[in-house]
Amino acid sequence: MQAREAYLDRVTTEVEEVASRVAQLKGRFAKQKVSVKLDHYWELDHVRSRFAEFKRRVQELEDADDLELATLQEEVDLAWKDLMQAVDALMAALH
């Protein structure tokens, strides 16, 4: 597994990527009619909850001892994949 600092640097880059995609998503969402927004409210809520989970996992990783590091890196990676799938699904729905 990667050293904690290198891994957290990679995670920071991923957060910047998702922030950019969320900005695009917000722009698309803002242009939608109210009925479309209501139709996709739960998907947006899912994106928010996946982001909160990702953020929680990163915090756990930052606070972890070296014995937990490998397991927590895997959990961060899974949370990242879940977050990106949620963002991609909502982006596709608003296309």
Side-chain angles (χ1 to χ4, degrees), residues 8 54-64 76:
L8 289 172
F54 175 70
K55 184 177 170 182
R56 184 179 71 77
R57 296 290 185 180
V58 170
Q59 185 63 49
E60 287 176 354
L61 180 70
E62 289 175 341
D63 298 337
V76 168

Side-chain angles (χ1 to χ4, degrees), residues 6-57:
Y7 186 81
L8 289 172
D9 285 346
R10 182 176 67 88
V11 167
T12 299
T13 301
E14 291 174 343
V15 168
E16 290 169 358
E17 175 188 335
V18 79
S20 172
R21 295 186 69 175
V22 167
Q24 291 175 353
L25 187 58
K26 282 179 148 180
R28 284 187 189 178
F29 207 74
K31 294 176 185 177
Q32 301 298 319
K33 295 178 183 178
V34 173
S35 62
V36 173
K37 290 179 183 180
L38 290 173
D39 288 344
H40 297 289
Y41 174 80
W42 298 112
E43 291 167 313
L44 180 60
D45 190 52
H46 184 68
V47 168
R48 288 180 179 138
S49 70
R50 295 298 88 211
F51 182 75
E53 177 67 14
F54 175 70
K55 184 177 170 182
R56 184 179 71 77
R57 296 290 185 180

